[in-house]
Amino acid sequence: MTSDRTTIPTARPRRVLFNKNFSVTAAQITALEGSGFEVWASHTDAGHGTLAAAPHTFLEPRGLIGDEYAEWLRRACQERGIDALIPGKERELLARHAPAFAQAGTAVLAPASEDTQRLLERKDEFLRGWDASVLPIPRWTTFDSLSSFDAAWDALSERGVRLCVKPARGIYASGFRVLTPEPDLGSFLKGELYQMSHAAAREMFAAPGLPTMLLMHTLEGAERSVDCVAWQGRLIRAVVRRKGPDGQRIEDRPDLVRAAEQIAQAYGLSGIFNFQTKDQSRPGDPARVANMLEINARASGGLRYSMAAGVNFPLLLLRAWEGTLDWDALPPVQTGLNVAEDKVVRVVQPEVAQAVSQEEVAQAPA
């Protein structure tokens, strides 16, 4: 895990960089306004909202990945005097490069080691090693061909239980579908995107090049997303939000907060992370048991909802990193709130020009 502190000059504010990441990064940047940190952001897209939110920006070269990207970013941080990097793009790889960044004066606040991050990204490997005493998991298996899909379907099929599929590696709801026995015209006309007939699935999974997929029991109860921030395996704060058709609700769930504490400790997490649960609910069964679905070693797309509960996730992380977090006076989590998103339009800074190319990077002095 890459959590070593770096010697920081005290004559100026500490400079924090968010490199290329998803749009939720803009909410984290906004949350740091007036915090005393000098916030920077970088991206390949000059019109991205992250750059519009940050007071200090620069552009990243398009198409640059891997070790070459890590080396380019290390030099960019050194040139700008960046004290801490909260990684987005290539965050797993950047955890490995953290010692080189530290030598150049930049602490990489990666959420975990490269191996741990990659384990959590591989949902099949994560589920195989999951401790079900923390939270149960639904019945599941994997397939990577039509024949193995058919065998998995037969093995998991139960009366009254729907099955669902999703890629073993993916983000958000990409590739997730609930399988129906027959085509459902009503669902199609209503625009329900996350359903697919069994026949359509078999036709699709007959195509060559199928990646490893999960087939699992569909949990029909409430879905929750738990946003967390931790430092060196110790949970700082967790916010539980229940998703609904008309918004989300911040809940008081000590059981899921305890699960967050166990997750942070078990995986040695040090940063903002998220896990997803869904209740198991069957006809005639009044119990609503939260089941683990996945852990994401990154900020969730819905983090802005949880920040409405009075938890400034990036500021808590940065205070823990610099050693000024008061663990005995953490901000309370406001529960019982109904929250909804109100999108904001920002003006992109006019001085941001077109992104640089890989060729320009190659020609730049080391």
Side-chain angles (χ1 to χ4, degrees):
M1 189 166 55
T2 57
S3 56
D4 292 341
R5 294 180 199 157
T6 304
T7 302
I8 301 169
T10 57
R12 60 166 174 78
R14 294 162 174 81
R15 293 176 181 169
V16 179
L17 170 67
F18 294 83
N19 70 323
K20 182 178 180 180
N21 208 340
F22 301 117
S23 58
V24 69
T25 307
Q28 297 183 61
I29 291 171
T30 301
L32 291 175
E33 291 178 358
S35 66
F37 289 94
E38 184 178 298
V39 182
W40 290 66
S42 61
H43 205 280
T44 55
D45 181 1
H48 197 270
T50 299
L51 300 185
H56 306 280
T57 64
F58 61 94
L59 285 165
E60 299 184 8
R62 295 184 184 277
L64 194 63
I65 59 174
D67 292 334
E68 291 79 10
Y69 173 77
E71 176 58 21
W72 176 87
L73 186 60
R74 184 195 63 78
R75 295 201 313 266
C77 288
Q78 187 174 21
E79 291 166 1
R80 292 163 179 81
I82 301 299
D83 301 305
L85 166 66
I86 299 179
K89 176 182 175 178
E90 296 281 18
R91 56 180 166 78
E92 299 98 337
L93 180 69
L94 289 171
R96 187 206 311 162
H97 283 260
F101 275 77
Q103 288 182 357
T106 302
V108 179
L109 305 187
S113 68
E114 180 182 26
D115 288 345
T116 296
Q117 291 185 73
R118 294 195 185 282
L119 169 67
L120 296 178
E121 288 293 326
R122 293 167 168 80
K123 296 177 177 61
D124 52 338
E125 296 177 16
F126 158 68
L127 289 173
R128 285 192 189 97
W130 173 247
D131 180 0
S133 68
V134 179
L135 289 173
I137 57 175
R139 288 189 62 196
W140 69 283
T141 189
T142 60
F143 64 93
D144 56 12
S145 65
L146 177 59
S147 60
S148 57
F149 168 70
D150 288 338
W153 178 273
D154 292 340
L156 291 187
S157 292
E158 289 184 17
R159 184 178 182 85
V161 177
R162 298 192 297 171
L163 300 180
C164 61
V165 295
K166 64 180 178 180
R169 295 158 182 77
I171 60 171
Y172 300 147
S174 300
F176 171 80
R177 295 293 186 275
V178 174
L179 302 180
T180 60
E182 303 293 338
D184 187 344
L185 178 61
S187 296
F188 172 77
L189 295 176
K190 292 177 182 177
E192 295 179 0
L193 302 178
Y194 297 117
Q195 290 193 6
M196 175 186 290
S197 71
H198 179 245
R202 292 193 76 253
E203 181 178 358
M204 180 174 295
F205 298 150
L210 182 67
T212 300
M213 302 285 291
L214 302 184
L215 181 71
M216 54 199 324
H217 282 190
T218 300
L219 301 173
E220 308 288 359
E223 181 178 359
R224 292 176 177 83
S225 188
V226 186
D227 291 311
C228 312
V229 59
W231 184 248
Q232 298 180 343
R234 182 181 178 186
L235 183 71
I236 301 174
R237 274 289 179 257
V239 176
V240 181
R241 48 188 172 88
R242 187 182 74 231
K243 300 179 180 181
D246 301 317
Q248 304 195 22
R249 183 171 178 80
I250 308 299
E251 293 187 325
D252 181 15
R253 288 293 300 263
D255 57 329
L256 294 182
V257 173
R258 285 194 298 273
E261 293 172 342
Q262 293 172 285
I263 290 167
Q265 182 177 21
Y267 296 101
L269 299 180
S270 200
I272 300 172
F273 69 96
N274 167 272
F275 66 96
Q276 307 278 329
T277 72
K278 202 165 186 186
D279 289 355
Q280 184 174 19
S281 178
R282 298 185 180 185
D285 180 5
R288 300 291 186 270
V289 180
N291 278 233
M292 169 62 73
L293 295 180
E294 62 185 24
I295 301 173
N296 302 300
R298 55 171 171 79
S300 71
L303 184 69
R304 56 177 61 90
Y305 291 103
S306 291
M307 290 200 289
V311 178
N312 190 327
F313 289 84
L315 183 57
L316 291 173
L317 171 60
L318 291 170
R319 293 295 187 217
W321 160 69
E322 68 176 3
T324 61
L325 181 66
D326 187 346
W327 291 85
D328 295 321
L330 296 174
V333 178
Q334 301 172 39
T335 59
L337 305 177
N338 293 317
V339 293
E341 183 178 18
D342 183 14
K343 294 186 177 180
V344 175
V345 175
R346 302 180 185 275
V347 177
V348 179
Q349 299 181 49
E351 63 269 21
V352 176
Q354 294 183 353
V356 294
S357 66
Q358 283 187 256
E359 289 74 15
E360 291 172 301
V361 172
Q363 296 170 4

